[in-house]
Amino acid sequence: MDTIRVVTASLRTPWLEARRADWRRRAQQPGELLYVGLGDSAAQGVGTSDLDASYVGLLEARLQRQTGRSVRVVNLSRYGARVEDVIDEQLPQLADLSPDLLTVTAGANDMRRFDRGEFSVDLELLLGALPPHAIVADLPCFHFGPRELDAVIASRMIADRVRAHRLALAPLHRVTEFRRGWGSVPDFSWDQFHPSARGYRVWESAFAGPVTRRAAHLPAIDPSRDARG
């Protein structure tokens, strides 16, 4: 049976379209290395007005610092995307790219109606299509309620399958769970769902180790380049 996707508009729609346009403009900027982001609204940086304050923007800066090379960012993520959407909409675009760094954050929207069997199938399809240097995050901590119980299960599934595929795991659930409680309130934006700029620094920390290891395998700047002028 074909799936019919219903597209709805809200007061947030113009802002979301503007944000995607901002990322498209950034994709036109040149760079010696290519960083591609896949995922949902968190990869879009919803919750902060500054692209550089999103976790994708922070990882771009980290990669540039650690390699000494300029970085071009192509952000293929979409607000509301589920794992299935990443497979159907974003992976086909990835086929035309050869990223030096690839990060994936997907699955949080699947927790709205978590079906363990469907999630397992979609997860396997996604991971099997990623290049061997991809860095995949598990789910953020939802702090309480049924979604957090599901997120714990889904995060364990992601971690197990990521390791089985010999990909790198960004332990997002662990770093966000560690901050559970009233002290984490500033980690969220006005909607108390998406991360704030401070929250995205927490998210970036989950990727820091795998990105640092990936950067070590990339060619650094040639010290003689500046001397040659």
Side-chain angles (χ1 to χ4, degrees):
M1 181 181 296
D2 293 335
T3 299
I4 299 175
R5 187 180 304 282
V6 178
V7 179
T8 59
S10 71
L11 294 176
R12 183 178 278 181
T13 300
W15 188 92
L16 295 174
E17 290 302 319
R19 171 52 55 91
R20 296 187 74 181
D22 288 341
W23 283 116
R24 286 193 294 270
R25 282 190 290 271
R26 178 161 291 198
Q28 301 306 310
Q29 298 176 7
E32 298 165 285
L33 299 175
L34 175 61
Y35 169 25
V36 175
L38 305 181
D40 51 30
S41 56
Q44 283 282 297
V46 173
T48 177
S49 60
D50 185 359
L51 295 188
D52 292 329
S54 67
Y55 85 80
V56 170
L58 293 169
L59 291 177
E60 173 193 3
R62 175 179 290 274
L63 184 62
Q64 185 164 318
R65 286 195 310 272
Q66 294 179 338
T67 62
R69 307 187 72 181
S70 59
V71 179
R72 175 186 171 221
V73 177
V74 175
N75 193 335
L76 301 178
S77 64
R78 179 178 64 76
Y79 182 88
R82 300 166 299 163
V83 174
E84 180 184 20
D85 300 315
V86 175
I87 296 168
D88 293 344
E89 301 170 9
Q90 299 174 34
L91 284 181
Q93 299 177 71
L94 180 64
D96 296 327
L97 302 169
S98 298
D100 299 289
L101 176 67
L102 175 66
T103 61
V104 185
T105 51
N109 292 311
D110 294 78
M111 297 303 100
R112 295 172 181 169
R113 188 189 61 81
F114 181 53
D115 183 297
R116 186 168 182 167
E118 291 179 3
F119 187 81
S120 178
V121 170
D122 290 340
L123 178 63
E124 195 66 23
L125 289 173
L126 172 61
L127 298 180
L130 296 176
H133 62 273
I135 302 172
V136 182
D138 56 11
L139 302 190
C141 177
F142 284 80
H143 292 251
F144 56 86
R147 286 191 184 182
E148 170 57 10
L149 297 177
D150 289 339
V152 169
I153 295 171
S155 290
R156 289 173 181 165
M157 293 171 66
I158 292 171
D160 288 345
R161 298 316 302 159
V162 164
R163 295 188 184 101
H165 283 268
R166 298 187 177 182
L167 303 174
L169 176 71
L172 182 58
H173 193 273
R174 177 169 59 81
V175 301
T176 51
E177 183 183 33
F178 181 74
R179 300 176 67 84
R180 176 160 34 194
W182 290 110
S184 68
V185 171
D187 291 353
F188 294 91
S189 63
W190 63 270
D191 62 7
Q192 285 300 296
F193 181 79
H194 293 97
S196 62
R198 188 176 105 162
Y200 279 122
R201 291 196 295 272
V202 176
W203 281 53
E204 193 264 352
S205 71
F207 287 91
V211 170
T212 295
R213 290 188 288 273
R214 176 59 184 162
H217 287 86
L218 296 173
I221 191 171
D222 182 354
S224 65
R225 185 176 65 177
D226 292 337
R228 292 195 298 266

